[in-house]
Amino acid sequence: MTSKDMRVNARLDRDRASKFNYIRQRTNQGASDIMKVAIDLYYEKLHQESSVKPLQLLRESGLIGCAEGDSDLSVNCKQYLTESLNEKYGHR
């Protein structure tokens, strides 16, 4: 074991131990190789989730397009707010 290697000792419940043994039998891989592949897959999944762009999250959530408004609202928000307040309270 080199200084870069890390030894892992883990306890598995009966269900996970059964799954682990199933993987060993189907792949003919040793415990270390199975753990390496499992860690790589889990890491990749988490890495992909963290690299999701905010715009993509908003689209997937359904937030984009769920309301109506002027198409240039983000650019002219102060103008629209001023007009709305003037309509509501009158010019002071």
Side-chain angles (χ1 to χ4, degrees):
M1 183 160 77
T2 67
S3 61
K4 293 182 181 183
D5 290 342
M6 178 176 145
R7 184 162 181 81
V8 175
N9 182 14
R11 294 189 187 279
L12 300 176
D13 57 36
R14 192 174 300 151
D15 184 47
R16 287 188 178 92
S18 176
K19 291 175 183 177
F20 189 81
N21 286 327
Y22 176 81
I23 293 169
R24 286 178 76 175
Q25 290 172 356
R26 290 290 309 256
T27 64
N28 291 319
Q29 291 180 316
S32 293
D33 290 330
I34 294 170
M35 292 301 296
K36 290 173 188 175
V37 171
I39 289 169
D40 289 344
L41 288 171
Y42 195 29
Y43 175 85
E44 191 61 35
K45 179 180 183 282
L46 292 174
H47 186 69
Q48 286 175 355
E49 289 173 1
S50 67
S51 65
V52 174
K53 304 290 183 234
L55 180 58
Q56 181 182 350
L57 289 174
L58 290 172
R59 282 188 177 133
E60 290 173 1
S61 73
L63 186 61
I64 292 179
C66 70
E68 293 183 19
D70 295 303
S71 61
D72 62 343
L73 182 60
S74 65
V75 177
N76 297 312
C77 60
K78 289 182 182 180
Q79 176 189 340
Y80 289 119
L81 179 59
T82 301
E83 290 172 2
S84 176
L85 291 174
N86 283 340
E87 287 175 17
K88 186 171 184 176
Y89 298 109
H91 185 66
R92 295 183 181 191

